[in-house]
Amino acid sequence: MNASSSSQQNRLGHRGGTHTESTLKSSAGQGGGARARAATLRATRAGGADRLVEHARAVVIGGGVGGTSIAYHLAEAGWRDVALVDRAELTSGSTFHSAGLVGQLRSTTTLTRMMMYGTSLYRRLGAETGVDVSWHEVGSLRLASSKERFEELQRQAGWAKTFGLPLELIAPEEAQAKFPLMALDGVLGAVWLPTDGWLDPSGLAQALAAGARAKGAQIRQHTRVVGVNVEHGRVTGVEIEAREGERSTIEAEVVVNAAGMFAPEIGRMADVTIPIIPMAHQYLFTN
Ligand SMILES: Cc1cc2nc3c(=O)[nH]c(=O)nc-3n(C[C@H](O)[C@H](O)[C@H](O)COP(=O)(O)OP(=O)(O)OC[C@H]3O[C@@H](n4cnc5c(N)ncnc54)[C@H](O)[C@@H]3O)c2cc1C
């Protein structure tokens, strides 16, 4: 996160004064798997204000699938002092409401490669972390009910080949054989991607969090970010408030805003505008 303002220090509380060194430990058992171990952040106490100041290389704000994935991958890349904070519990944001559909073929190369990587991760993450992500590799269908849409599917088949995705153009009857609930009226054709699927989004976030913990990250729930500290146009850390109301500081080289639809609120704490507009969404479950 880059801040647009040039100097914005100690927004919400006093830091500084004389410091005494101490170590803060988080409980490894906080929802983590058996392989999780205690993570520590270096901590000091600001003598005058008796205010705790901790130090992490990176603070990730938000314990949805985005934040837990970032913490997992930072820890996997060898970042040992990563702290993830969520104002409530893990997956209490939009991740909890997600349908969990995973379609790999996207409109850009980067997104498609990320989705393909995601699919390979979902296949192994349960065994790695001991937390089931409920990955179901059931395949996906995209239907064409107009000539233009059919041409688009044909283009998608060519695009998929460039990634090595096993996407096939199939006849309407073949699509119906795979998904008997669909009506054939007006359907000109379909594409079938057998390696797409769905999973449990909350399970995925919990598995990523367990994996991050096992690799040394610290995860704190019921810890709200109430301020982002900025000095000379760079973030230097965050002000946090625990459930009990106690406020403290985590100083960090990197602050990651993974607060989902609340990201603009966090951005405003550092005078950064984040153009996200939440929109209503529907989905239908069938048995
Ligand atoms: C109905 C629905 C269906 C969907 N279906 C799909 C689908 O099929 N496939 C798909 O890929 N995507 C789907 N999505 C989208 C997907 O759910 C989201 O893209 C994803 O969950 C976003 O995750 P996130 O981690 O960015 O945000 P969130 O899950 O919202 O996490 C943000 C976290 O930040 C925390 N937070 C906020 N403010 C603070 C603060 N001040 N301090 C500390 N923590 C804070 C919140 O408590 C929350 O836990 C769907 C979404 C919805 C709503």
Side-chain angles (χ1 to χ4, degrees):
M1 177 195 261
N2 285 315
S4 58
S5 65
S6 60
S7 177
Q8 187 182 4
Q9 204 172 348
N10 300 343
R11 269 181 88 90
L12 286 157
H14 170 78
R15 294 190 328 220
T18 52
H19 293 72
T20 52
E21 290 281 335
S22 65
T23 303
L24 194 94
K25 289 193 183 240
S26 77
S27 159
Q30 200 182 45
R35 292 162 58 205
R37 60 185 167 76
T40 59
L41 288 185
R42 197 161 50 83
T44 52
R45 262 195 192 275
D50 196 27
R51 186 179 178 81
L52 191 68
V53 180
E54 296 169 84
H55 310 269
R57 189 167 172 200
V59 173
V60 180
I61 307 168
V65 74
T68 53
S69 176
I70 292 163
Y72 173 88
H73 286 96
L74 284 176
E76 191 178 56
W79 290 42
R80 287 289 164 263
D81 46 355
V82 172
L84 181 150
V85 294
D86 197 290
R87 64 183 185 178
E89 288 171 10
L90 294 178
T91 89
S92 56
S94 64
T95 297
F96 182 78
H97 302 281
S98 170
L101 306 182
V102 178
Q104 296 164 92
L105 190 66
R106 318 306 286 192
S107 55
T108 69
T109 303
T110 307
L111 278 178
T112 303
R113 293 222 178 278
M114 278 179 70
M115 296 301 289
M116 290 171 70
Y117 163 74
T119 305
S120 66
L121 180 68
Y122 308 150
R123 289 185 189 123
R124 66 175 158 82
L125 199 60
E128 180 190 314
T129 62
V131 180
D132 185 19
V133 306
S134 208
W135 171 240
H136 290 73
E137 200 160 313
V138 293
S140 73
L141 284 170
R142 299 174 193 205
L143 306 180
S145 305
S146 69
K147 191 170 142 289
E148 292 74 20
R149 172 71 173 156
F150 189 62
E151 282 167 7
E152 190 191 337
L153 292 191
Q154 286 174 313
R155 275 197 302 278
Q156 285 184 4
W159 174 238
K161 272 205 189 82
T162 65
F163 297 100
L165 281 171
L167 184 131
E168 300 166 45
L169 263 174
I170 59 173
E173 295 73 20
E174 289 176 277
Q176 195 188 39
K178 294 185 186 301
F179 185 59
L181 285 181
M182 71 174 260
L184 285 178
D185 309 342
V187 178
L188 302 178
V191 288
W192 163 247
L193 183 46
T195 54
D196 279 350
W198 62 272
L199 46 57
D200 166 21
S202 291
L204 173 60
Q206 295 290 356
L208 289 164
R213 277 192 199 98
K215 294 174 199 297
Q218 187 187 82
I219 294 187
R220 284 192 214 171
Q221 302 179 75
H222 303 288
T223 303
R224 177 187 290 269
V225 169
V226 291
V228 175
N229 297 321
V230 178
E231 288 172 26
H232 309 299
R234 282 195 66 85
V235 290
T236 57
V238 294
E239 300 296 317
I240 54 173
E241 185 177 276
R243 182 160 40 181
E244 301 74 25
E246 193 196 346
R247 288 193 173 193
S248 59
T249 303
I250 306 179
E251 291 181 339
E253 283 172 38
V254 175
V255 174
V256 182
N257 182 353
M261 68 177 173
F262 304 98
E265 207 174 283
I266 302 291
R268 276 194 293 278
M269 295 176 188
D271 287 340
V272 174
T273 302
I274 296 173
I276 290 179
I277 301 171
M279 297 181 76
H281 208 81
Q282 294 89 32
Y283 59 70
L284 180 74
F285 275 108
T286 59
N287 284 320

